[in-house]
Amino acid sequence: MTSLISLKQITKSYKSMQALDGIDLEVRAGITGLLGPNGAGKSTLIKLLLGLVQPTSGTASFLGFDVRKQGREIRNRIGYMPEDDCYISGLSGVNAVQFSGCLSGIPKTESLRRAHEILDFCDMKQERYRMVDTYSTGMRQKIKFASAIVHDPEFLILDEPTSGLDPEERETLLKRIRLLASQMGKSVLISTHILPDVQAICDDVVILSQGKVKLYEPLANLNRTTNPSFCIRAIDNIDQLAQALDTDDVEVIKNPDGTLTVASQAPELPEIIWKAAYQTGVNIQSLIPARNSLEEVFLSTVTESPNTEEVN
Amino acid sequence: MPIHDVGYRRLTNEKNSSLFRWLAICRIGVQLALKSKWVKRIMLTAWLPMTYWAAGFFVIEKQLIADQLSIMEGGGSLNQAAMLALTESITNRFSFFLGVDDLQNVFRSGDIPEIRNTIWRWMLMSFFRYPQAIVILFLVGFIAPSLISQDIRSRAFLLYFSRPISKLEYIFGKICVPSIFITLVTTLPALCLYMIALLMSPDISTFPQTWDIPVRIIIATFGLVIPTSAVALMLSSLTQESRFANFSWFAVWGLGHGAWLTIVLATALQMGLPLWDPEVMRSEVVTNWSAISLYNSLGSLQSYIFGFETFAESWRGIISLFGITAFSMTILYRRVSSPM
């Protein structure tokens, strides 16, 4: 699959501060989550992709265009939803979206029509005629999202799209993003601190830390634990089963919800579990491969020492 | 209830040329400025002086036509006495105004096409220089301060620059906003006055005698629009609070002109002449320091464009305006680039 974003040895320095430190990254089509602690270089990376800041060294292409020289072509094809609460004072919601369309080159009448369509898509009703200055955070998020997609971009960059939204609105926005990706074929880069959002919709995950790419993996791979492990739910006597399984080769963790997580280097772990169940007479209700939580992956990745080899 | 619910659909229409993206910025700026009642009031007031100037053209054309008829009927040469009376009247009434001496000399020459051209130029220059300059001061003071400061405050830069818009296009789009308003209160009424004067003249042969005047009006507009818009936007880009930019705009005009008037007053006292005496205005110290006032510098440029000052007389003002514009544009560009 061709890469939409291709970064080779990208560095970006601001005086004495190294914001990006020799990044190599190939981002595929689909929804990619960009994670990282504060100051990891996420915003710099986004600005660099938009062509708003120039890399200090290295080469970067985005949608096949050189980031250094073809920023305008890139910005013509992407939609960007900034994290900051930014708006043009004095405009109504619908005019703000229409104006965004005009800035992207849509003729003004078509832009007005499209602004209404997009605001309907974003579930914005009559409040679209109110001044943006009077909007709540959630409504401004909707306007920013609508402005980012009004010109039908190929690629969306969403910076903290769900911050300030209530759980219901958050769920709806994630559905919209998923719909744009699956039905309209748009690729999306989501920068966020909200890991469940990434878990819910992303295909791939990039973790940035200290200006370096620490991890770039499909989410499905991250959901698998490093060692074979299983989550066991039993009808009764689970403590007896735990006791039977707890040997030198097998690690058993009793979870607060009454289930067991069993991990082992041994490839025949399912056989070991069934044998123990047979010996103890415990009835197993479910036996499923255990999943690593993204939070665990994130924490273990960003807390690695700075000298840790990059995972890419 | 949805208004036009068709789901998310592909954009099928052609996009506008990238050369005119700045127009969207300009259009929205004008739209927002026109929401202010004060701007609308100033715009209406700005057209009132035109009636006075139109009456002036009527009086002058009436006199010139009378003189022309007198010559055609063989009644002798130009009615020198009447012309001189008119000259005296203008000179006395507008002694403080620039170029009055030129008018006297041309009137004495007796060449009617030359007189017409000169007096029309002089009237239109005065129209630019006196009533409309004051209008522009207030109009730009109301419109320009919020143009960039509000974008800084509401962090709208990212909305603009994440689109296919360059910083220069953004600046150009913003500069066009005060420029359009300035054009509406100076160029448009000045061109209307020219048309009124043409209609009051004896026949269409007047046009070949005065064709240069509309060209001068348009050049004078550029001379007025570029420095004023650049200074106003530069001030707007320096702050998040438009009231500070507003205050700075009036301060730049007021302090500069106030300092120059102080020099004029000191010179008049030193020479023992009234403040408005032409001798005081022509004195070396007053002329040398004239460029500290933005108003005077713009006046010098306009006098040069309308042909009432030579370059040797107006170079200080022109260089000063050029310097102010270059400085303002540099600061403006840097300020617009800095949030990135």
Side-chain angles (χ1 to χ4, degrees):
Chain A
M1 198 186 286
T2 51
S3 304
L4 298 183
I5 298 173
S6 174
L7 308 177
K8 290 188 175 69
Q9 282 300 304
I10 285 292
T11 60
K12 176 66 190 174
S13 308
Y14 294 105
K15 293 180 181 166
S16 60
M17 199 193 78
Q18 184 93 340
L20 298 176
D21 185 9
I23 283 184
D24 286 308
L25 184 64
E26 302 281 334
V27 174
R28 296 175 283 265
I31 306 179
T32 305
L34 179 62
L35 300 174
N38 291 331
K42 299 189 299 293
S43 298
T44 305
L45 179 61
I46 289 173
K47 283 179 184 171
L48 190 137
L49 292 174
L50 289 168
L52 299 177
V53 297
Q54 295 288 312
T56 309
S57 66
T59 56
S61 76
F62 187 9
L63 300 172
F65 295 100
D66 186 342
V67 163
R68 281 180 193 272
K69 296 173 190 157
Q70 294 171 294
R72 196 183 180 102
E73 279 81 0
I74 293 170
R75 294 196 297 274
N76 218 1
R77 287 166 176 78
I78 62 142
Y80 174 54
M81 177 180 175
E83 179 191 2
D84 291 326
D85 188 18
C86 51
Y87 57 91
I88 292 162
S89 187
L91 288 184
S92 65
V94 67
N95 284 344
V97 179
Q98 182 200 10
F99 179 53
S100 296
C102 290
L103 284 179
S104 295
I106 306 175
K108 56 182 177 183
T109 314
E110 173 64 14
S111 192
L112 178 65
R113 176 184 163 180
R114 198 151 168 93
H116 280 293
E117 290 174 12
I118 298 294
L119 288 170
D120 278 333
F121 176 71
C122 293
D123 203 22
M124 191 100 173
K125 303 206 167 60
Q126 301 297 320
E127 60 268 26
R128 70 184 66 177
Y129 294 113
R130 270 171 47 198
M131 293 292 131
V132 182
D133 314 52
T134 65
Y135 280 2
S136 64
T137 312
M139 284 157 85
R140 282 188 194 164
Q141 287 292 94
K142 280 186 185 176
I143 289 293
K144 283 197 287 178
F145 182 68
S147 300
I149 60 173
V150 67
H151 57 295
D152 191 19
E154 292 170 37
F155 196 104
L156 278 171
I157 299 179
L158 309 175
D159 202 350
E160 300 286 358
T162 54
S163 72
L165 297 182
D166 63 40
E168 193 187 341
E169 282 179 336
R170 176 183 152 261
E171 189 56 40
T172 316
L173 179 63
L174 292 177
K175 271 185 196 159
R176 276 183 208 122
I177 296 170
R178 208 180 291 129
L179 186 140
L180 288 172
S182 61
Q183 292 184 14
M184 295 289 157
K186 295 186 192 307
S187 290
V188 187
L189 181 71
I190 300 180
S191 169
T192 182
H193 286 105
I194 305 171
L195 300 181
D197 288 357
V198 175
Q199 191 89 52
I201 60 166
C202 289
D203 303 314
D204 297 310
V205 175
V206 178
I207 299 182
L208 272 184
S209 179
Q210 293 165 329
K212 292 183 177 186
V213 175
K214 297 285 184 183
L215 182 138
Y216 176 47
E217 284 282 338
L219 187 69
N221 288 359
L222 297 180
N223 285 336
R224 286 190 218 116
T225 52
T226 319
N227 293 330
S229 63
F230 289 89
C231 185
I232 305 167
R233 186 180 294 277
I235 292 174
D236 49 16
N237 297 329
I238 198 147
D239 292 337
Q240 215 175 337
L241 180 66
Q243 220 168 7
L245 283 169
D246 199 4
T247 59
D248 290 346
D249 295 341
V250 182
E251 187 189 350
V252 180
I253 302 163
K254 190 165 182 202
N255 299 316
D257 61 352
T259 60
L260 294 180
T261 302
V262 181
S264 172
Q265 298 273 8
E268 67 278 9
L269 183 60
E271 285 80 4
I272 297 172
I273 295 169
W274 283 116
K275 197 175 166 186
Y278 176 73
Q279 285 168 353
T280 54
V282 172
N283 294 319
I284 291 179
Q285 196 176 17
S286 69
L287 177 66
I288 52 171
R291 287 155 64 100
N292 221 350
S293 84
L294 187 59
E295 195 172 346
E296 280 171 33
V297 175
F298 177 74
L299 287 173
S300 65
T301 308
V302 299
T303 51
E304 281 172 6
S305 73
N307 297 326
T308 307
E309 200 66 24
E310 277 178 32
V311 183
N312 190 13
Chain B
M1 185 181 161
I3 290 175
H4 187 51
D5 193 5
V6 290
Y8 189 87
R9 66 175 175 93
R10 286 256 174 249
L11 186 66
T12 48
N13 291 53
E14 283 287 308
K15 286 186 177 176
N16 284 337
S17 162
S18 59
L19 290 173
F20 298 102
R21 300 275 162 93
W22 57 269
L23 259 177
I25 298 174
C26 173
R27 203 168 40 229
I28 210 81
V30 171
Q31 193 184 318
L32 289 174
L34 281 175
K35 283 186 176 177
S36 160
K37 281 180 188 168
W38 277 104
V39 169
K40 285 179 193 160
R41 282 172 193 157
I42 294 173
M43 293 285 289
L44 284 174
T45 315
W47 280 72
L48 292 180
M50 199 185 116
T51 52
Y52 184 70
W53 258 256
F57 275 113
F58 172 75
V59 171
I60 285 158
E61 275 308 309
K62 199 176 156 210
Q63 183 61 51
L64 288 174
I65 290 168
D67 287 334
Q68 212 160 9
L69 283 174
S70 151
I71 293 167
M72 283 166 70
E73 286 164 5
S77 61
L78 179 72
N79 188 344
Q80 292 276 355
M83 283 311 292
L84 282 174
L86 182 64
T87 310
E88 285 298 313
S89 157
I90 290 172
T91 311
N92 291 339
R93 192 169 297 179
F94 303 107
S95 63
F96 193 72
F97 284 25
L98 277 170
V100 169
D101 299 347
D102 293 306
L103 283 186
Q104 282 180 323
N105 295 335
V106 173
F107 279 167
R108 286 193 185 101
S109 75
D111 180 359
I112 287 183
E114 182 65 20
I115 292 172
R116 175 173 284 122
N117 184 295
T118 309
I119 198 160
W120 283 19
R121 275 191 288 124
W122 183 80
M123 285 189 69
L124 287 167
M125 183 197 69
S126 308
F127 180 70
F128 262 78
R129 177 111 204 241
Y130 301 105
Q132 300 319 90
I134 308 297
V135 168
I136 288 166
L137 171 68
F138 285 99
L139 192 60
V140 175
F142 271 101
I143 295 166
S146 61
L147 281 175
I148 295 182
S149 60
Q150 253 179 18
D151 284 349
I152 298 175
R153 194 171 61 220
S154 60
R155 285 168 281 196
F157 276 142
L158 277 174
L159 287 183
Y160 290 104
F161 298 134
S162 61
R163 309 272 157 186
I165 296 277
S166 70
K167 291 173 191 83
L168 283 176
E169 283 171 312
Y170 171 81
I171 291 172
F172 187 65
K174 291 285 182 185
I175 277 189
C176 283
V177 178
S179 305
I180 285 173
F181 283 98
I182 293 173
T183 306
L184 286 174
V185 299
T186 55
T187 319
L188 202 58
L191 288 173
C192 286
L193 277 174
Y194 175 73
M195 291 303 295
I196 289 168
L198 268 186
L199 291 172
M200 286 176 179
S201 64
D203 54 55
I204 197 66
S205 69
T206 317
F207 180 70
Q209 295 163 14
T210 56
W211 67 269
D212 61 311
I213 293 176
V215 178
R216 288 176 197 270
I217 289 171
I218 289 164
I219 297 172
T221 304
F222 280 106
L224 186 64
V225 153
I226 296 168
T228 46
S229 302
V231 170
L233 288 184
M234 184 264 287
L235 295 171
S236 176
S237 74
L238 291 174
T239 175
Q240 292 188 16
E241 293 285 342
S242 48
R243 62 204 160 110
F244 294 152
N246 189 288
F247 174 78
S248 310
W249 167 254
F250 289 107
V252 164
W253 283 74
L255 290 177
H257 203 66
W260 178 75
L261 281 178
T262 311
I263 293 168
V264 174
L265 180 65
T267 311
L269 288 173
Q270 200 177 23
M271 293 169 81
L273 292 168
L275 187 64
W276 53 88
D277 193 288
E279 282 301 310
V280 176
M281 292 300 165
R282 286 191 201 102
S283 69
E284 201 181 337
V285 66
V286 169
T287 317
N288 285 346
W289 284 97
S290 151
I292 61 167
S293 158
L294 187 57
Y295 176 74
N296 283 349
S297 298
L298 286 168
S300 282
L301 179 65
Q302 282 161 3
S303 302
Y304 175 65
I305 291 167
F306 280 100
F308 288 97
E309 272 187 19
T310 61
F311 186 75
E313 289 167 316
S314 54
W315 69 269
R316 287 182 194 83
I318 294 171
I319 299 286
S320 156
L321 280 183
F322 184 79
I324 288 170
T325 307
F327 176 77
S328 302
M329 292 300 279
T330 310
I331 299 286
L332 182 55
Y333 188 80
R334 287 186 69 87
R335 290 290 300 164
V336 168
S337 304
S338 63
M340 296 299 112

